[in-house]
Amino acid sequence: GDDAAVIASQAGQWTVLTTDLLTEGVHFDIRTATMADIGFRAATANLSDIAAMGATPQYLLVSLAIPRTGTSRAVHQLYRGMMAACRPHRVQLIGGDTSASSSGWFLSLTLVGMVPPRKALFRNGARIGNLLYVTGTIGDSLAGLKLLNEPPHRAALSTRHRQFLIGRHLRPTARIAEGRWLSAHRFATSAIDISDGLSGDLRHI
C-alpha cells in the first residue's frame, strides 16, 4: 500500500531482477487466449528468466495499462493467471501501477529473486567442448500457437494431442527447480532461457 516496496535484504544473498513488457497484438492475442492464460504466460516468462539464473523468485511488481474495453472481470482474471503461475513458487505480489490505454492492453512485470553469492548461472560461463542440454520439449509452444491460429479441421492431430500442445503454449512451465538444482551443484557452466527459440538464443551463450 506504500509508494514503494521496502525489502529487508537477506545477509549473504545476491538479488536478481528481471522485467518484461507485453503488448496486445504483439505478444498476445485476446482472441486466442483468455486473460488468465495471458497473465500466466506473462508471469512464467519472468519466472523462466529467474530460473535461468539459478535463483529463487520472491517478489513481483505489475504495471498494467487497461483499454476502454477492459473490464474489472478481465483485470481480475489477468491477475488470477499471474498468481496461478507464481503461487507454487511462493512469489508475493508487492505492488505496481495502473494506467488507462487508448490502444489495447499493456502489461509490464518485474520479478525479484535471490541466489547465494557466486552461485548464479550466467551466459558467459560456457567453454568450447561443453555439452549442450535443454529441459522440456523444444517446439511444443510454437506448435500450440500455430494450432490456435488455424481451423481445427486442418490439424491432423487428435483432440487430446491438440489440447496438449495448445496447453504448452498457453501455460508453459518455468524450470525453477531445475535451475536451482544446477546452481546448487554447479552442474552447468552457463544457462539461458530459450523461450525466444533455441537457434536464436544460442548466439547469446
Side-chain angles (χ1 to χ4, degrees):
D2 297 308
D3 292 310
V6 179
I7 304 170
S9 62
Q10 300 178 21
Q13 294 287 303
W14 284 2
T15 301
V16 178
L17 301 102
T18 184
T19 187
D20 274 314
L21 175 64
L22 296 94
T23 305
E24 180 183 349
V26 177
H27 302 100
F28 60 87
D29 189 338
I30 60 174
R31 296 171 300 178
T32 58
T34 67
M35 295 303 291
D37 289 333
I38 292 166
F40 191 99
R41 276 186 58 82
T44 300
N46 284 262
L47 289 167
S48 292
D49 288 339
I50 295 292
M53 300 298 297
T56 301
Q58 292 186 317
Y59 304 106
L60 175 69
L61 295 111
V62 178
S63 292
L64 178 65
I66 307 166
R68 291 184 177 182
T69 55
T71 63
S72 60
R73 183 173 182 271
V75 173
H76 288 150
Q77 287 181 338
L78 187 68
Y79 276 89
R80 193 172 295 118
M82 285 187 282
M83 296 317 297
C86 290
R87 198 169 293 113
H89 307 292
R90 300 181 179 180
V91 173
Q92 299 179 52
L93 176 63
I94 59 172
D97 194 18
T98 56
S99 173
S101 168
S102 61
S103 59
W105 293 86
F106 294 86
L107 179 62
S108 177
L109 280 71
T110 299
L111 194 59
V112 182
M114 296 289 181
V115 66
R118 294 172 293 280
K119 291 286 188 177
L121 298 172
F122 296 99
R123 297 180 179 183
N124 63 357
R127 296 293 180 266
I128 294 174
N130 286 174
L131 299 177
L132 177 68
Y133 295 85
V134 298
T135 59
T137 306
I138 295 174
D140 282 354
S141 180
L142 179 59
L145 176 61
K146 288 185 175 181
L147 288 170
L148 284 170
N149 288 297
E150 68 179 23
H153 67 272
R154 291 190 58 188
L157 293 172
S158 68
T159 300
R160 181 170 63 88
H161 289 153
R162 179 184 173 85
Q163 290 176 343
F164 171 80
L165 291 171
I166 290 174
R168 294 292 297 136
H169 175 71
L170 296 177
R171 298 286 176 126
T173 302
R175 308 290 177 175
I176 299 293
E178 291 88 336
R180 292 180 61 187
W181 181 76
L182 290 169
S183 168
H185 297 286
R186 307 307 297 169
F187 286 147
T189 60
S190 184
I192 190 171
D193 165 54
I194 59 169
S195 58
D196 290 332
L198 177 63
S199 59
D201 283 328
L202 273 181
R203 295 178 298 167
H204 301 301
I205 290 287

